[in-house]
Amino acid sequence: MKKIFIGGDHAAIEMKSAAIAYLRNTLACEIIDVGAYDGERVDYPDYAAKVCVEVLKDKEASGILICGTGIGMSIAANKHKGVRAALAHNSYEAQMAREHNDANVLCLGARTIGLGTMESVLDFWIRASFAGGRHSARLEKIAKLEDKCFS
Ligand code: RB5
């Protein structure tokens, strides 16, 4: 069973609920919801941090972050050393994010994609796995960039 930490801001409340239901009931994932839990205005970097800290502690876990566009969440998540966050708008991007980039955090835009697209993005991201090979060397270069820029 895949373990996923999920978080979102006030713009993400409806999509986060739908994503949790789909991940639990259709994709049989273990879900830990770090909030936000209601529509009160909050700041997306706080929820990006809650999810990323957990993902970095547990190498078997992944994260999902949702805000209005998914852009703020992806910018904030990628400030965490070791997080490879990818914003996906369709199933192809979701699959490539795993196969080529080994994305351990998926970002979604609640205002930019519908719930049907969200489900297909989740399907492909959950089912895909890292292809390794030439992509491993590229990820090693990214890790070196992190060492250089984030220390
Ligand atoms: C909130 O209004 C909005 O700015 C946020 O959800 C997100 O889209 C930021 O990137």
Side-chain angles (χ1 to χ4, degrees):
M1 181 183 280
K2 302 222 170 169
K3 184 175 180 184
I4 295 177
F5 292 89
I6 188 167
D9 70 0
H10 51 282
I13 296 297
E14 186 195 357
M15 180 171 281
K16 179 159 69 64
S17 297
I20 290 170
Y22 191 69
L23 288 160
R24 280 190 179 136
N25 302 333
T26 304
L27 299 175
C29 296
E30 177 191 352
I31 303 299
I32 301 98
D33 181 4
V34 306
Y37 303 114
D38 58 40
E40 191 178 326
R41 196 173 296 274
V42 293
D43 297 329
Y44 59 81
D46 298 335
Y47 291 87
K50 284 177 194 274
V51 164
C52 290
V53 163
E54 297 302 329
V55 168
L56 290 171
K57 277 196 278 194
D58 182 349
K59 296 294 171 208
E60 299 304 309
S62 301
I64 295 177
L65 289 167
I66 312 173
C67 64
T69 58
I71 295 170
M73 283 296 196
S74 56
I75 292 171
N78 279 312
K79 301 300 179 201
H80 296 78
K81 190 176 176 190
V83 166
R84 292 175 301 279
L87 172 59
H89 302 91
N90 55 57
S91 53
Y92 181 74
E93 289 175 349
Q95 183 176 349
M96 289 302 108
R98 260 301 193 217
E99 288 186 4
H100 288 195
N101 312 112
D102 200 17
N104 51 5
V105 173
L106 174 71
C107 300
L108 300 170
R111 294 173 180 158
T112 59
I113 61 170
L115 296 183
T117 301
M118 178 271 292
E119 289 183 358
S120 70
V121 166
L122 294 178
D123 279 335
F124 279 75
W125 187 66
I126 292 291
R127 295 194 170 119
S129 45
F130 182 48
R134 68 188 189 278
H135 304 293
S136 297
R138 292 163 185 166
L139 295 192
E140 280 164 27
K141 289 192 176 187
I142 291 174
K144 281 191 184 145
L145 276 177
E146 286 180 328
D147 287 340
K148 191 173 148 197
C149 301
F150 287 2
S151 54

